[in-house]
Amino acid sequence: MKKVKLKVPATVANLVCGFDILGMAVHDPYDEMEFRLLETPEIIIKHTDSFGLPEEPTGNVAGIVLLKIQEYFNLKNGFEVIIRKHIKPGSGLGSSAASAAGAAFGANILLGNKLSKEEMVHFAMFGEELASGVRHADNIAPCIYGGITLVKSTNPIDIIPLNSPDLFVTAVHPQVEVKTSDARQILKKNITLKSAVEQWGNIAGLVAGIQKNDLPLIGRSLTDVIIEPIRSILIPKFDKIKEKSLQLGALGGGISGSGPSIFMLSEQKETAEKMAQMMKSVYDEIEIESLVYVSKINPKGIQLVEEA
Ligand SMILES: Nc1ncnc2c1ncn2[C@@H]1O[C@H](COP(=O)(O)OP(=O)(O)O)[C@@H](O)[C@H]1O
Ligand SMILES: N[C@@H](CCOP(=O)(O)O)C(=O)O
């Protein structure tokens, strides 16, 4: 019986302007996943965390991904997965993507690395479909590839790994739940050509800034005229946190994924830590509990920590 242990990182999707196409992996928080290949065809999911997530394979994003892989390879084997989740579900930090991407990655190692990264993304997207109703890959891709990725297309899958600037990421997760599925439903289905043109400018500017390591360009491209004005209404003190972060020296930032987490990028650790303190105190003032993370962009993504 083979065993694989993984460290699966949180991800920040959208990077403000790149709805459903841009994302980055961070070092903290991360989930731990342990896989065993079984002689029998069952899929067993166990959670050793306290989030009360479904353990039946069809209700858990990891289970769905494993079922699809089992079906694709016509396997007689099954899988046992033990998940210790530290990325809170509904945080906007890619909690569902971590389990989905981790499942594809872990199963692939147990099966002798038969899948390409694109194929792992393909299977992991079934997990995102279960969580949010949509097969988006902007969290899954950076989880699997590491660093910052551009999802040029999901059909066919075309993932462009971008550079990983050496930046700090401060994230705050106020303890109000925003489900990705709900945060998608409130979005407008149509946008004006004027706002599309503005957004294209921001996305292109951000990708150019990342590739050229032009930090001021990254900062001024972290602007969203389409999604943020609608979703930020669901996040208490969003404007205040953004304004104060910029005053403290953030390059820029905004909603992480579909929220409620907010992330900010900075060059200096000191700035990142000051922002974390400020974010916590803003939520303390209004008696909303919050979790704060000071981390860096994670160029590697999912890490294999043990194989036996
Ligand atoms: N293994 C899992 N990890 C995280 N969420 C899961 C898992 N399995 C099922 N879910 C469901 O997915 C949803 C959380 O996903 P989502 O709203 O996208 O949160 P996040 O933004 O943190 O990824 C919840 O409804 C949760 O019950
Ligand atoms: N592009 C998606 C990203 C969702 O990220 P999550 O971390 O909130 O699951 C969206 O914005 O809906």
Side-chain angles (χ1 to χ4, degrees):
M1 196 193 284
K2 254 178 114 182
K3 188 174 99 177
V4 162
K5 269 192 192 176
L6 302 178
K7 202 168 153 179
V8 187
T11 45
V12 172
N14 300 336
L15 295 184
V16 183
C17 52
F19 180 68
D20 276 0
I21 61 169
L22 289 172
M24 71 181 172
V26 294
H27 285 287
D28 260 317
Y30 61 85
D31 288 350
E32 294 164 273
M33 296 178 85
E34 191 176 315
F35 298 80
R36 275 186 190 75
L37 194 62
L38 304 175
E39 302 295 332
T40 48
E42 322 123 271
I43 306 286
I44 303 170
I45 311 278
K46 290 181 188 159
H47 274 274
T48 56
D49 49 59
S50 54
F51 298 122
L53 290 168
E55 289 189 334
E56 75 275 12
T58 50
N60 191 295
V61 299
I64 281 289
V65 173
L66 295 173
L67 283 166
K68 291 285 178 188
I69 292 177
Q70 193 183 40
E71 182 185 283
Y72 177 76
F73 286 112
N74 203 8
L75 292 179
K76 298 210 168 28
N77 301 88
F79 300 94
E80 181 188 61
V81 190
I82 302 170
I83 306 174
R84 183 178 288 264
K85 192 160 267 303
H86 304 283
I87 314 166
K88 272 199 160 188
S91 56
L93 291 167
S95 178
S96 50
S99 291
F105 199 95
N108 184 45
I109 298 174
L110 288 175
L111 298 175
N113 295 304
K114 292 193 177 101
L115 299 172
S116 65
K117 285 184 177 167
E118 285 84 357
E119 285 167 328
M120 285 190 254
V121 169
H122 163 78
F123 286 111
M125 281 198 300
F126 288 106
E128 287 295 54
E129 187 173 27
L130 176 69
S132 70
V134 179
R135 305 188 74 220
H136 63 94
D138 48 342
N139 295 97
I140 285 167
C143 205
I144 290 175
Y145 286 71
I148 303 183
T149 52
L150 164 66
V151 180
K152 190 185 166 303
S153 147
T154 51
N155 189 16
I157 293 172
D158 191 353
I159 311 288
I160 320 290
L162 303 178
N163 289 343
S164 270
D166 187 25
L167 292 174
F168 286 90
V169 184
T170 308
V172 62
H173 175 198
Q175 304 295 287
V176 291
E177 198 183 353
V178 176
K179 285 204 166 188
T180 305
S181 50
D182 298 338
R184 294 184 77 93
Q185 261 165 21
I186 59 169
L187 299 176
K188 285 188 200 155
K189 298 288 171 280
N190 298 297
I191 56 169
T192 61
L193 186 58
K194 183 174 173 288
S195 36
V197 171
E198 255 185 81
Q199 199 85 343
W200 290 327
N202 289 325
I203 297 167
L206 182 55
V207 172
I210 291 166
Q211 294 307 86
K212 290 164 56 169
N213 203 34
D214 181 336
L215 303 186
L217 177 57
I218 291 177
R220 62 181 193 276
S221 304
L222 286 167
T223 303
D224 175 4
V225 295
I226 296 170
I227 312 287
E228 188 174 285
I230 300 170
R231 282 185 169 169
S232 58
I233 294 161
L234 303 174
I235 306 174
K237 299 288 173 194
F238 176 79
D239 291 334
K240 185 167 181 179
I241 295 225
K242 201 167 168 180
E243 192 188 314
K244 286 195 161 215
S245 298
L246 294 173
Q247 283 165 5
L248 287 171
L251 283 176
I255 303 174
S256 176
S258 62
S261 292
I262 303 169
F263 81 100
M264 289 288 154
L265 296 179
S266 59
E267 268 185 274
Q268 307 295 335
K269 190 170 185 199
E270 203 193 335
T271 312
E273 284 171 347
K274 276 190 187 155
M275 286 193 287
Q277 279 170 17
M278 173 277 291
M279 290 168 174
K280 184 109 194 79
S281 66
V282 166
Y283 285 117
D284 283 350
E285 265 170 38
I286 55 166
E287 294 180 6
I288 291 183
E289 270 186 57
S290 62
L291 293 171
V292 190
Y293 305 96
V294 175
S295 184
K296 290 195 91 171
I297 299 177
N298 174 346
K300 296 215 168 102
I302 300 178
Q303 288 299 289
L304 175 62
V305 288
E306 194 184 316
E307 192 176 4

